[in-house]
Amino acid sequence: MSAITNHLPTAELQALDAAHHMHPFTTNDDLAAKGARIITRANGVYLHDSEGNEILDGMAGLWCVNIGYGREELADVAARQMKELPYYNTFFMTTHVPAIALAKEIASLAPDHLNQVFFAGSGSEANDTNLRMVRTYWAMKGKPTKSIIISRKNAYHGSSVGSGSLGGMTPMHEQGGLPIPDIMHINQPHWWAEGGDATPEDFGLACAQELEAAILQMGEDRVAAFIAEPIQGAGGVIIPPNTYWPEIQRICDKYEILLIADEVICGFGRTGNWFGSETLGIRPDIMTIAKGLSSGYQPIGGSIVSDEVAAVINSGEFNHGYTYSGHPVAAAVALENLRILQDENVLDHVRNVAGPALAEMWNGLGGHPLVGETKIIGMMASLALTPNKETRAKFAADAGTAGFMCRERSFANNLIMRHVYDRLVISPPLVITPEEITLLGQRARTALDEAYVQMKDLGLLKAAS
Ligand code: PXG
């Protein structure tokens, strides 16, 4: 057990948390009965909790701590910036040095035709910007009927009214009257779960062609944009068949539909390139960024906008913006994060060291009796839990039962691994070492073994009929 820093006893903290703190995406009454895990500090790829446990963070926080925890350079930059200029806005014909420097840096890292940045405080806010920006773009071009945005089922684009509507999460749409009008959702390219007897290639093509069918159904003059994560993250790290994205790009080009790539998870090295769009050969008109932009050290997001879209939007007033658009402390910290990613060759590490090691470890789990497919690209990976690999069967038990049990065993073994229904996902800090990947693999395997025994004992290994 490592040292516990000075704080109230865990039970007291948990009681206070339960009394006053409403957690996101949580049944708070259940959590109150159980007590939240209290994270007290972190370093590298390890979290420490109030009970003295050292936990390997296989999720880099929420897919964001790309450079790992405990980088003092970021803390120093934040302190310096707070002393110099803690806040000023970017409205009213004003700007400041951190926003200028960060926008320039992002433009230099982004694909050639993306050179303008609209800042936000989060990915949700950035996608709200995108929603308004693409509709405004077409209105300013004299085509106000082009307002429909096509997205995908099981996409995650954020939790605000706009971004939650863009997303395709049914449980979110069931609360609060979402989606807002003129958002449409087509099927996701999730071959394992939905591909039936088709080959992955045929299925990928068919899913992409749903976009064309939707455009033809609505009429080209009604459709503004298509939005998608290059690789769905929160939906379960769904890596599309390689036929999917080229066909989507062809369709967007053919019908002059703007393509928004939501790079909130895929951006800043996660897939081995600066952006997932490069890894998957996509040419977006707008990219959504957040998370890895600052490695989560400060809340900041934004939209990287193509020259063509920016030229139209910049010709009039876009009545949109946030108090914290381009926040100087967040911008300075993000800039330092980008410096570290570059100076320490973190993308090379992903491509040549951590990525291959993680792939070898992860694919090695494919032989486990609970595991169907394993999928990995760069530093994001998923596996499907199944009672029958050959038929890709679902469990007879409620969806998510097996996933939750694996996650619980994973936590019990001091590994943070997430489940999305019956898929397990990981997205560790990009700087993770091969030794740490080996440990991650050992803990993941132990978690699977323990969950398997539990499921067997409870008679939960049955396939759905
Ligand atoms: N787009 C994508 C692709 C995301 O993954 C957002 C937008 C929204 O970003 P903000 O900063 O507003 O949260 C996200 C966020 C999960 C989980 O359970 C994933 C996210 C957020 C919370 C939980 O995997 N992704």
Side-chain angles (χ1 to χ4, degrees), residues 62-63 122-125 127 156-158 229 234 262 264-265 290-291 418:
L62 259 184
W63 322 78
S122 66
S124 300
E125 287 182 3
N127 277 325
Y156 191 80
H157 296 300
E229 304 150 80
D262 186 335
V264 167
I265 286 177
K291 294 191 190 277
R418 277 210 40 206

Side-chain angles (χ1 to χ4, degrees), residues 298-313:
Q298 283 283 292
I300 183 165
S303 308
I304 322 181
V305 181
S306 73
D307 298 337
E308 193 181 328
V309 172
V312 173
I313 294 293

Side-chain angles (χ1 to χ4, degrees), residues 39 88 147 156 163 194 214 252 311 317 351 373 412-413 424 428:
I39 303 299
Y88 202 72
S147 61
Y156 191 80
S163 63
E194 297 168 7
C252 289
E317 180 170 349
R351 279 197 287 262
E373 69 168 4
N413 284 284
L424 298 182

Side-chain angles (χ1 to χ4, degrees), residues 361-374 382-387 389 395 401-415 417-419 421-426 439-457 461:
M361 179 282 283
W362 195 251
N363 292 329
L365 297 175
H368 193 279
L370 270 183
V371 177
E373 69 168 4
T374 54
S382 60
L383 58 79
L385 299 167
T386 177
K389 300 176 200 238
F395 292 97
T401 307
F404 181 73
M405 288 174 86
C406 289
R407 193 203 76 137
E408 289 295 279
R409 294 323 304 155
S410 178
F411 269 45
N413 284 284
N414 285 333
L415 169 65
M417 180 160 67
R418 277 210 40 206
H419 78 111
Y421 298 103
D422 289 324
R423 267 185 111 73
L424 298 182
V425 304
I426 55 163
L439 184 63
L440 195 166
Q442 286 162 354
R443 290 182 182 177
R445 187 172 286 278
T446 306
L448 285 167
D449 287 346
E450 291 178 2
Y452 182 75
V453 171
Q454 255 182 358
M455 291 181 69
K456 200 168 170 187
D457 290 350
L461 291 174

Side-chain angles (χ1 to χ4, degrees), residues 21 44 106 205 278 282 322 362:
H21 181 192
I106 291 170
L205 210 54
E278 297 162 80
I282 309 167
Y322 307 105
W362 195 251

Side-chain angles (χ1 to χ4, degrees), residues 7-14 38 50-51:
H7 56 69
L8 292 171
T10 300
E12 281 182 50
L13 287 171
Q14 287 172 328
I38 296 157
S50 57
E51 292 294 282

Side-chain angles (χ1 to χ4, degrees), residues 102-125:
L102 181 61
K104 172 185 166 284
E105 190 62 19
I106 291 170
S108 80
L109 297 174
D112 286 350
H113 66 295
L114 300 170
N115 288 298
Q116 301 249 341
V117 185
F118 195 108
F119 285 114
S122 66
S124 300
E125 287 182 3

